[in-house]
Structures are given as structure tokens and as C-alpha cells.
């Protein structure tokens, strides 16, 4: 799995360039997106110091899959946001599913910030900040409640209130 940043745009569309670092830090690659939103690897980078970090809102996770015997870099099925110092100061309501999946939502922020951990994320915590839901408005608060109710409807149970570093240790 790779954490990738779009160097040229916040949108991953044709002709954008990106750089990605594997979560274990061993592989650093650069690539581009063609007109069909297919990710192409242009080369391997020697060190992190040679990687342009890109735009904060352009963070995506990529995975390497084998399709028809060829290795391909693909988008994960979920969205990710880059973790900031602000996120690390938040408290989260932690929810646990009987299957072991975990989900947490920030208790004290102006945007919906969720973290999740499941098979798709290879057992790693992923943070996603939805900038479109404004929790300073009644509509935003109602949407947050809808999101929580949706998770509870899928079998997630509240496990408690916990800070960011506590969530990461789960």
C-alpha cells in the first residue's frame, strides 16, 4: 500500500502527476494519470528527499495488484486524508464491529473526521476528513448523526471516547 500525493492538482484526472511512498517507507515511486484515470508508474525515486509532497487535499492510498499477470497500481476503494497536528489533538468516539472492524468519529471538530481500520486498509488506521459537511450548521450536525446511525445500523457498537493516540494503539 502507498500513500500518494498529486503534485499538479487536487483532482486525480488526466495528465496529473503524483508521487507515492509505501507505508513501510521502502518504495518511492512517481507516476501520472492518463485520460482514463489509469495510474501509470513513471519511475522509482532514490530517496524521500527527492519527492515533491504534493497538495494536502490530494492524499490518496494506492495498492499494487496483479491483473492478468501484470502488476498494476490502483486506487483503494476508500478516501484518505493526510493526518495533521490538528487531527492528533482530537478526541474520537470509537466504534467496534463484531467482525473486528473499527471506526471512530471525531467528537470535537468543525468537520466530520473519521478513522477506520479493516481488511481493506490492511489493518492500518486511515483518517478521512469530509470538508463538505460543516458541523457549525444544523444540516451538518444532522448529517453527522445520520453517519453515526448508519454505522450503528451496520452492527458497530460504541466502545468509548478516546484520544487520537489511543485510537492508533487499538
Amino acid at each position: 500500500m502507498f500513500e500518494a500525493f498529486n503534485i499538479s492538482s487536487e483532482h486525480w484526472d488526466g495528465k496529473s502527476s503524483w508521487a507515492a511512498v509505501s507505508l513501510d517507507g521502502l518504495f518511492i515511486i512517481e507516476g501520472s494519470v492518463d485520460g482514463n484515470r489509469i495510474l501509470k508508474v513513471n519511475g522509482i525515486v532514490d530517496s524521500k528527499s527527492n519527492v515533491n509532497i504534493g497538495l494536502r487535499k490530494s492524499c490518496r492510498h494506492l495498492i499494487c495488484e496483479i491483473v492478468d499477470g501484470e502488476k498494476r497500481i490502483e486506487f483503494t476503494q476508500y478516501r484518505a486524508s493526510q493526518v495533521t497536528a490538528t487531527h492528533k489533538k482530537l478526541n474520537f468516539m470509537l466504534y467496534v464491529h463484531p467482525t473486528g472492524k473499527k471506526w471512530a468519529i471525531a467528537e470535537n471538530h468543525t468537520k466530520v473526521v473519521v478513522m477506520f481500520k479493516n481488511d481493506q486498509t490492511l489493518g492500518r488506521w486511515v483518517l478521512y476528513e469530509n470538508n463538505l459537511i460543516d458541523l457549525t450548521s444544523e444540516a451538518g450536525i444532522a448529517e453527522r448523526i445520520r453517519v453515526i446511525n448508519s454505522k450503528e445500523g451496520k452492527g458497530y457498537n460504541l466502545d468509548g471516547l478516546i484520544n487520537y493516540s489511543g485510537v492508533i494503539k487499538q
Side-chain angles (χ1 to χ4, degrees):
M1 182 179 302
F2 293 84
E3 185 171 54
F5 297 91
N6 197 315
I7 297 167
S8 56
S9 169
E10 289 185 2
H11 306 285
W12 292 75
D13 50 16
K15 301 187 181 173
S16 357
S17 299
W18 53 269
V21 179
S22 62
L23 294 184
D24 61 9
L26 297 176
F27 299 97
I28 306 162
I29 56 177
E30 288 183 331
S32 58
V33 182
D34 74 9
N36 296 320
R37 289 184 38 110
I38 294 174
L39 300 171
K40 303 219 180 250
V41 175
N42 298 339
I44 297 173
V45 181
D46 293 334
S47 73
K48 281 188 179 181
S49 62
N50 295 334
V51 175
N52 181 340
I53 193 62
L55 305 165
R56 188 178 87 76
K57 291 183 180 178
S58 72
C59 179
R60 294 290 301 262
H61 281 187
L62 310 176
I63 54 173
C64 182
E65 293 188 322
I66 298 177
V67 179
D68 297 330
E70 290 185 33
K71 290 181 185 174
R72 276 197 189 156
I73 299 291
E74 303 280 342
F75 291 115
T76 57
Q77 295 178 354
Y78 59 82
R79 296 290 301 194
S81 299
Q82 185 179 14
V83 177
T84 66
T86 301
H87 296 130
K88 292 180 180 180
K89 294 177 186 174
L90 296 174
N91 291 314
F92 291 83
M93 293 188 309
L94 177 64
Y95 288 80
V96 179
H97 193 273
T99 61
K101 297 184 281 189
K102 296 183 180 182
W103 183 81
I105 186 165
E107 181 205 35
N108 52 348
H109 198 49
T110 58
K111 304 289 180 201
V112 170
V113 177
V114 297
M115 295 178 62
F116 53 94
K117 176 181 179 178
N118 56 38
D119 292 341
Q120 233 185 3
T121 67
L122 304 178
R124 298 176 187 263
W125 281 101
V126 174
L127 182 138
Y128 175 65
E129 180 178 61
N130 188 331
N131 291 312
L132 303 177
I133 301 174
D134 181 2
L135 294 179
T136 62
S137 72
E138 286 186 34
I141 292 168
E143 181 61 18
R144 180 180 185 275
I145 291 168
R146 188 199 67 73
V147 169
I148 291 170
N149 289 341
S150 170
K151 285 296 180 187
E152 289 174 340
K154 293 177 181 175
Y156 285 81
N157 296 303
L158 182 61
D159 194 46
L161 183 64
I162 192 166
N163 61 24
Y164 174 87
S165 61
V167 170
I168 295 301
K169 292 176 185 174
Q170 292 287 321

